[in-house]
Amino acid sequence: MPILHLLLALLLAHKTENVILVTYDGLRWQEVFEGADESLFTKEQAAARKAYGRDAADARRTALLPFLWGTVAKQGQIFGNGPKGSVARVTNDKRFSYPGYNEILCGFGDARIDSNDKKPNPNVSVLEWLHGKDAYRGRVAAFAEWDCFPAILNVARSGLFVNAGIATVEGPGLSEREKTLNQVLLATTWPHADQRSDALTFLMAQAYFERTKPRVLFISFGETDEWAHEGRYDFVLESAHRIDGYIARLWEEVQSMPAYAGKTSLVITTDHGRGGAPEEWKSHGEKIPASDRIWIAVLGPDTRALGERTNCAEVTQSQVAATVAALLGEDWGAAESKSGKAIADAIGP
Ligand SMILES: [Zn+2]
């Protein structure tokens, strides 16, 4: 092979062997691209205003999400800044969680999924499909703050490892750290029977990641949505900032592990948007059309550093599943014809 062709082949060679998919529940594109909205702070929220308030939008968003803007948006791509001509949206008309996670994980909106009830998902997710392949079997895992995920990922059928809500990590060979985290989970008074904290979700996922080395890891965080429903803008921002920090820690760890460094891609998104100021930001759903606007970020060795996307084609939530698969060199669309296509710009040269 002529040397030029060899160089070209090396340049174009697909590098991603592992994918980490992370979701922030209901984190608005407004906070992601413009940072804290000054008008939404109450008098009592001076500490949060001090922490996240800045004059310029670029400074506000970097103060809120330093990893997303300092690393992901510099080395990868982020879609969804509507005012700059990049629209990302959900295609399901429900604009709440289960329909959104179904669309993210399966690649299409499904009118049958019309509640957050824990009904086993009739659809096969890209995670279940990957887990069915020899190369991924037993190496796909999901951790979630919300205990609806065993239903969303239909564990009875899929056999996926899903740890969600007030559930300990089970199985042989647990590390000391995992055992301790299980004890913390069981020793805590949880105000909601169906949710645990994002902090514990992260720590449990991280400990599991270190022990089992999954090829596909999905982590779903939820507090950004919970606090918005309660009207606590300060805690929405703090939760978002913490989640950004969790992802930064995991990414740093990935770069220190030979099995992952330079071979791992990261996809970050949200299940739905929310309404606008001054009141509808607390909510989302069928009655709030603006909650269809989301954002999607991709970082990894196969993703060009195009940064914050502007004036580009619209992308949809239904493209996330195929994008995750394509990053791994797999074709989800061939298995699920209803799925949106991978985001072409984000998956290769
Ligand atoms: Zn919600």
Side-chain angles (χ1 to χ4, degrees), residues 67-80:
F67 176 71
L68 188 70
W69 288 107
T71 301
V72 181
K74 287 217 166 80
Q75 300 170 16
Q77 300 179 37
I78 181 163
F79 297 85

Side-chain angles (χ1 to χ4, degrees), residues 25-26 95-97 116 225-226 229 271-272 274 282-284:
D25 200 298
R95 307 172 199 119
F96 59 82
S97 288
N116 279 340
D225 186 71
E226 302 303 324
H229 284 295
D271 56 331
H272 55 74
R274 322 189 74 81
K282 294 172 190 169
S283 194
H284 56 88

